[in-house]
Amino acid sequence: MTTETLQAPVPRTPLQEFWHYFKGNKGAVTGLVFILIVCFMALFADIVAPHSPSDQARDALLLPPAWMDGGNWAYFLGTDDVGRDILSRIIHGARLSLSVGLVAVTASLMIGILMGLVAGYCKGVVDTIIMRVVDIMLAMPSLLLAIAIVAILGPSIVNAALAISIVSLPHYVRLTRAATMAEMSRDYVTSSRVIGASPLRLMFVCILPNCVAPLIVQATLGFSTAILDMAALGFLGLGAQPPTPEWGSMLADALQFVQRAWWVVTFPGLMILLTVLAFNLMGDGLRDALDPKLKQ
Amino acid sequence: MLSFIGRRLLQAMFVLLIISFVSFMIQDKMGDPVRQMVGLSVTLEQREALQQELGLNDPMLIQYGRFLGRAIQGDLGTSYYYKEPTIDVIASRLPATLELSFAALVLVVLLAIPLGVFAAIHPKNILSRAVLLFSTLGLSVPIFIVAVFLMYFFAIEWGLLPSFGRGETTSVFGLWQSGLFNRDGLQHLLLPSLSLAFVLTPIFIRLIRAEMMDVLQSDYIRYAWAKGISAPRIYFIHALKNTMLPVITVGGIQLGTLVAYTILTESIFQWPGMGLLFMDAVTRVDVPLISTYLIFVGVIFVVTNTLVDVVYSLVNPRVRIPGYS
């Protein structure tokens, strides 16, 4: 009789478990891969891009993409009305879009977590005041509020990022507050409090780590909103100012050439679409993997 | 019920007060009325006398009180560019925006309800998958790209529809310039409202599908099947009613998004509505017009949200209890 030793299955670490669920979602993995590519492009834009984003090739105005008649392989996606390489501008634009997204999401995430934690922890008057402020911010459509903020502060990329982070704040506050209130009634929080943990420790060490999952999901989706809003502001001329290569403003500048040169409009538009789609898909995947309760 | 409505109204008033204060701050921060009135050609003493006369040296709260008093009487300042009361300028552009939003809403309802219900009834069907894919794509595509491509194909490439403006309008009772009553106006309306609808439809398709799938699992639907009620009646009368509950709430919130998106749509199609007016005001730094627009939209938004809440509490009495969720 052979004795086989039965091995108990090694329990997965939380990270492995997350990856196991996440990789089952093909759309989410595709999104992740695309985002990684865009990040790579953004980080190494100077090396990856074949030309400088502001170099004007005077002999190659409105050149079609390389695979079309009259295209030139030196300018893979063609050139715009002053002879700038569209591919290079898109690559450099990725740097801008991603950094604006990163700044906006980080800023509103940090302030939002702080306000949400305080509101959920303190309750009472503080909670009421914070939530009223949030309600008022939600009382205006976010894009309109962003446009208004930029209109007041003056159009620039920094103000646009600021506006986007202000308008996305309410979502983070509400999420953190709801999660904090749910955690506050748990036994482990009560016992830490009995042991004598300070309010700060309770908030940041005990409660916060347990609220992270929905926040990660919201932050990912926040990235896509930030890129969309940024492009919309750029399109209206309220975001990045020319000649900065920004996807939205590239599209707006090229609008008058749409009849003669479809590629100057199509490629920046496609890039916005794909990047936002990638973030949305990844956000969906993250939500399903991190927070199965929310699964649709 | 009355206390619920009272609470909501109080909240709405408070929000409106804050919005008016923010607009007051905008006017205060960005515009120098004295310079607007007399330019740079007067002496410092005269300027100061004028400032005193206009009450610009008073404490801010008193100035705000005056601003509020005038605002309640419908006087929100005079546009620098049009030299007319801002409220009149905006009111003259209101019909265009309202008609555009209304047409977009009709399109959204006509598209989202059948598609969402279909996707919920036949989740495995290839068409439902296509609908779902379309809705994911639609959530990621910026409205200006949709608008540009619709314009490119329908107006430029195929020459089927006009690409900008509002076309012919007819006057209704002398107070409403409407483009809904003639062919030309309707043709002009189609592309802008289609692009607006394109951006909002996906949200509603997803929402209706998810809610409908939930509702179809519930006991009362199973009972209806057992009773032998016909399928269309179950789907479109019994199930759809309960599906629409959350749709009302989200619809109210999305109305604000619709207003924000009219700014983009109107700038692209040169639609002479409030959104285009606002963008022009921003480029001209026409401060009174900017702040009036913000107040105006704020009022519309708060009023509709309050109405939606009240309507919702009528159809779903559970939300009236404070703290219930």
Side-chain angles (χ1 to χ4, degrees):
Chain A
M1 198 172 137
T2 53
T3 51
E4 272 181 40
T5 44
L6 271 177
Q7 205 92 47
V10 184
R12 296 198 194 103
T13 63
L15 201 66
Q16 279 171 329
E17 188 169 8
F18 158 72
W19 181 244
H20 174 77
Y21 285 114
F22 186 77
K23 75 170 189 248
N25 187 334
K26 291 212 177 53
V29 176
T30 319
L32 178 67
V33 170
F34 187 80
I35 291 167
L36 287 179
I37 294 173
V38 176
C39 285
F40 177 81
M41 273 172 27
L43 275 178
F44 301 102
D46 295 325
I47 306 164
V48 179
H51 302 271
S52 151
S54 48
D55 253 4
Q56 303 180 357
R58 288 288 173 197
D59 50 341
L61 305 181
L62 288 175
L63 219 58
W67 59 87
M68 282 176 55
D69 280 348
N72 182 343
W73 283 100
Y75 305 99
F76 184 63
L77 294 181
T79 57
D80 65 6
D81 52 308
V82 287
R84 291 173 298 197
D85 180 36
I86 291 178
L87 179 65
S88 310
R89 283 179 72 74
I90 286 179
I91 291 174
H92 280 269
R95 179 180 273 185
L96 204 72
S97 285
L98 285 186
S99 43
V100 166
L102 195 69
V103 169
V105 169
T106 322
S108 54
L109 194 62
M110 283 195 321
I111 301 172
I113 286 179
L114 211 64
M115 283 169 72
L117 269 178
V118 170
Y121 184 87
C122 298
K123 298 192 180 133
V125 186
V126 182
D127 180 35
T128 315
I129 293 174
I130 291 180
M131 288 325 281
R132 276 299 90 81
V133 172
V134 167
D135 278 349
I136 290 164
M137 287 169 80
L138 280 174
M140 287 292 256
S142 69
L143 183 62
L144 181 65
L145 197 59
I147 292 175
I149 293 171
V150 176
I152 298 165
L153 299 177
S156 84
I157 203 156
V158 179
N159 291 343
L162 187 71
I164 293 168
S165 48
I166 292 176
V167 297
S168 50
L169 197 57
H171 302 285
Y172 299 107
V173 178
R174 293 194 131 190
L175 261 180
T176 318
R177 174 176 171 270
T180 308
M181 287 185 135
E183 292 301 317
M184 283 286 284
S185 54
R186 297 283 176 83
D187 288 341
Y188 75 95
V189 178
T190 317
S191 54
S192 320
R193 195 203 298 268
V194 170
I195 294 169
S198 68
L200 278 182
R201 191 182 165 79
L202 275 177
M203 277 193 246
F204 289 98
V205 182
C206 299
I207 298 173
L208 185 58
N210 290 298
C211 314
V212 163
L215 284 172
I216 292 178
V217 176
Q218 181 63 40
T220 319
L221 298 176
F223 239 99
S224 76
T225 322
I227 292 174
L228 264 183
D229 285 355
M230 188 67 203
L233 288 174
F235 184 82
L236 290 173
L238 296 173
Q241 298 301 306
T244 321
E246 197 270 336
W247 296 339
S249 51
M250 272 170 81
L251 212 157
D253 295 341
L255 217 48
Q256 46 186 317
F257 305 105
V258 67
Q259 223 167 333
R260 277 190 290 153
W262 54 268
W263 53 91
V264 271
V265 176
T266 308
F267 292 122
L270 203 63
M271 201 60 198
I272 300 172
L273 170 65
L274 289 178
T275 314
V276 173
L277 185 65
F279 274 107
N280 278 343
L281 287 174
M282 194 172 85
D284 279 352
L286 281 175
R287 182 183 53 211
D288 293 350
L290 290 172
D291 211 348
K293 271 178 301 186
L294 292 173
K295 198 165 187 166
Q296 285 179 334
Chain B
M1 185 65 214
L2 269 180
S3 85
F4 173 80
I5 293 180
R7 221 169 37 235
R8 281 304 283 119
L9 282 181
L10 213 69
Q11 208 176 330
M13 294 297 291
F14 186 64
V15 171
L16 284 180
L17 218 63
I18 298 284
I19 291 175
S20 71
F21 186 68
V22 171
S23 329
F24 166 72
M25 291 297 288
I26 296 173
Q27 291 213 5
D28 199 45
K29 277 270 169 303
M30 281 178 63
D32 180 359
V34 176
R35 180 175 296 185
Q36 280 293 326
M37 288 164 81
V38 296
L40 295 167
S41 55
V42 292
T43 61
L44 209 60
E45 286 77 33
Q46 280 173 311
R47 286 172 63 92
E48 264 162 18
L50 196 59
Q51 269 185 358
Q52 191 66 39
E53 198 183 313
L54 289 171
L56 294 175
N57 294 335
D58 294 344
M60 207 176 68
L61 270 180
I62 294 181
Q63 288 194 45
Y64 173 60
R66 265 203 302 268
F67 172 81
L68 208 60
R70 283 200 308 270
I72 289 168
Q73 291 166 3
D75 173 17
L76 287 163
T78 309
S79 159
Y80 295 159
Y81 181 79
Y82 294 94
K83 311 282 182 210
E84 271 176 60
T86 49
I87 207 93
D88 293 350
V89 178
I90 287 190
S92 71
R93 301 292 194 97
L94 183 65
T97 299
L98 280 188
E99 280 178 10
L100 176 60
S101 318
F102 175 71
L105 269 183
V106 170
L107 284 176
V108 169
V109 169
L110 286 182
L111 287 172
I113 293 182
L115 289 178
V117 170
F118 180 82
I121 300 173
H122 309 286
K124 297 265 184 275
N125 190 299
I126 183 90
L127 194 65
S128 337
R129 280 162 199 259
V131 166
L132 216 59
L133 188 75
F134 157 79
S135 71
T136 314
L137 259 172
L139 280 180
S140 315
V141 56
I143 186 168
F144 49 87
I145 294 183
V146 178
V148 165
F149 278 87
L150 280 179
M151 190 202 263
Y152 176 68
F153 284 113
F154 283 94
I156 300 171
E157 199 77 343
W158 302 329
L160 293 175
L161 292 164
S163 63
F164 68 91
R166 204 174 162 213
E168 230 176 278
T169 54
T170 36
S171 174
V172 183
F173 306 127
L175 13 103
W176 186 282
Q177 292 293 324
S178 174
L180 294 178
F181 297 104
N182 57 62
R183 215 182 125 81
D184 189 49
L186 286 175
Q187 278 182 338
H188 279 84
L189 186 63
L190 194 57
L191 283 185
S193 56
L194 205 62
S195 18
L196 259 182
F198 194 92
V199 181
L200 288 176
T201 311
I203 305 169
F204 285 97
I205 291 183
R206 289 173 81 105
L207 189 71
I208 291 173
R209 174 180 167 273
E211 285 299 323
M212 187 86 174
M213 284 173 102
D214 252 16
V215 170
L216 287 179
Q217 301 288 322
S218 58
D219 288 340
Y220 84 96
I221 293 293
R222 220 170 292 164
Y223 175 69
W225 283 118
K227 223 177 142 198
I229 295 174
S230 71
R233 203 178 154 78
I234 290 182
Y235 289 139
F236 286 99
I237 301 211
H238 295 290
L240 194 61
K241 260 189 206 160
N242 275 333
T243 305
M244 294 319 274
L245 273 182
V247 177
I248 298 175
T249 327
V250 176
I253 297 168
Q254 289 301 326
L255 211 71
T257 322
L258 191 72
V259 172
Y261 283 146
T262 55
I263 298 179
L264 282 161
T265 324
E266 287 178 6
S267 340
I268 293 168
F269 289 102
Q270 293 295 302
W271 185 264
M274 297 192 305
L276 187 63
L277 184 74
F278 175 68
M279 277 317 293
D280 286 345
V282 167
T283 31
R284 290 178 189 137
V285 203
D286 194 342
V287 185
L289 203 53
I290 295 177
S291 75
T292 310
Y293 177 81
L294 291 178
I295 291 188
F296 201 79
V297 172
V299 169
I300 294 180
F301 200 54
V302 169
V303 168
T304 44
N305 268 3
T306 313
L307 274 180
V308 164
D309 276 0
V310 171
V311 168
Y312 191 78
S313 78
L314 283 175
V315 287
N316 186 7
R318 279 176 298 180
V319 293
R320 269 182 244 155
I321 308 157
Y324 180 92
S325 56

